[in-house]
Amino acid sequence: MSGELTTILINTGAILLALALWGGSIVYITWDTSRRNVSGCRQLFWLLLAFIPLVGFAAYLIARPLMLPEPPAATQGRSSKWVTIVKPAAQGVAKRAPTIAAAEYLRAGQPDPQNLASPAQQRWAEARQSYLLATVEGPHTGQNFVIDHLPACIGRGFGCAISLDNDGGVSRRHAELYQHAGKLRIRDLNSTHGTKVNNYNISDKGLLPGDRIRVGYSLLIVKMER
């Protein structure tokens, strides 16, 4: 009788351990896809795959470095709130504006010194012409975007003129190119990871040829397009 009881306890413990490992793999995939900004449909696919015991989790670990983007640098090494398909991000909550470097802040009320760099740059800024953004880093490397109409949105949402759908670090409506006083400018649209121009976090900035725009994992260079 005692032998049968021991067998039952061992079997029960093995089943509970297997269930714990299975549930842990589902929780881990949920957390990992959230911090990597995986979109809802793709996250649902990986969660459904996780419901296949052991095999689904192993497939996720193998495919992760090949198919999923790296987590944003701002969130590596520290915990963050989970935003999943089950618990979407709260709407209408004000987001903290990106930090502006001290030098950029002091120049906010003064003319942009880049606008005075050379007569050629001034003529380019004032000319009526199209603009070209060349992608040199990120999932869309090698892709060029010609902008004929302003304002033009940068993001992953429907209707964005600069569509970076494969960049998991780009918000649906990340930033906007627009024209003011005949000059090209860019402003951040309260994106999750912010917008940089020439390695400075910005909220609104004038652009000139050669300026480097960083959104998500993508780096775009502003060029002339006659």
Side-chain angles (χ1 to χ4, degrees), residues 198-210:
N198 299 329
N199 293 326
Y200 284 103
N201 289 324
I202 61 97
S203 58
D204 195 305
K205 182 80 169 62
L207 294 174
L208 289 172

Side-chain angles (χ1 to χ4, degrees), residues 104 107 112 114 195-202 205-214 219-222:
E104 197 71 21
R107 291 197 297 265
D112 193 336
Q114 294 187 47
T195 301
K196 290 185 177 181
V197 174
N198 299 329
N199 293 326
Y200 284 103
N201 289 324
I202 61 97
K205 182 80 169 62
L207 294 174
L208 289 172
D211 281 347
R212 302 164 72 86
I213 302 171
R214 170 75 67 179
L219 182 64
L220 302 97
I221 297 181
V222 180

Side-chain angles (χ1 to χ4, degrees), residues 91-109:
Q91 301 295 323
V93 178
K95 296 180 180 178
R96 186 175 181 179
T99 302
I100 302 177
E104 197 71 21
Y105 178 80
L106 293 175
R107 291 197 297 265

Side-chain angles (χ1 to χ4, degrees), residues 53-135:
L54 186 61
V55 176
F57 185 61
Y60 177 79
L61 293 179
I62 295 173
R64 182 178 60 172
L66 302 175
M67 302 178 62
L68 298 180
E70 291 296 324
T75 60
Q76 288 182 351
R78 60 184 179 88
S79 61
S80 59
K81 286 188 176 181
W82 289 8
V83 180
T84 67
I85 57 175
V86 179
K87 182 183 178 183
Q91 301 295 323
V93 178
K95 296 180 180 178
R96 186 175 181 179
T99 302
I100 302 177
E104 197 71 21
Y105 178 80
L106 293 175
R107 291 197 297 265
Q110 303 175 4
D112 193 336
Q114 294 187 47
N115 293 338
L116 306 177
S118 69
Q121 288 185 330
Q122 288 184 351
R123 287 195 298 271
W124 177 87
E126 295 171 357
R128 292 180 177 273
Q129 59 187 9
S130 299
Y131 305 99
L132 183 142
L133 271 66
T135 311

Side-chain angles (χ1 to χ4, degrees), residues 29-79:
I29 291 177
T30 302
W31 169 77
D32 193 47
T33 52
S34 296
R35 75 189 184 105
R36 292 172 182 271
N37 293 319
V38 177
S39 60
C41 293
R42 295 177 63 191
Q43 187 182 43
L44 179 60
F45 167 77
W46 291 114
L47 287 177
L48 292 177
L49 185 65
F51 276 91
I52 304 176
L54 186 61
V55 176
F57 185 61
Y60 177 79
L61 293 179
I62 295 173
R64 182 178 60 172
L66 302 175
M67 302 178 62
L68 298 180
E70 291 296 324
T75 60
Q76 288 182 351
R78 60 184 179 88
S79 61

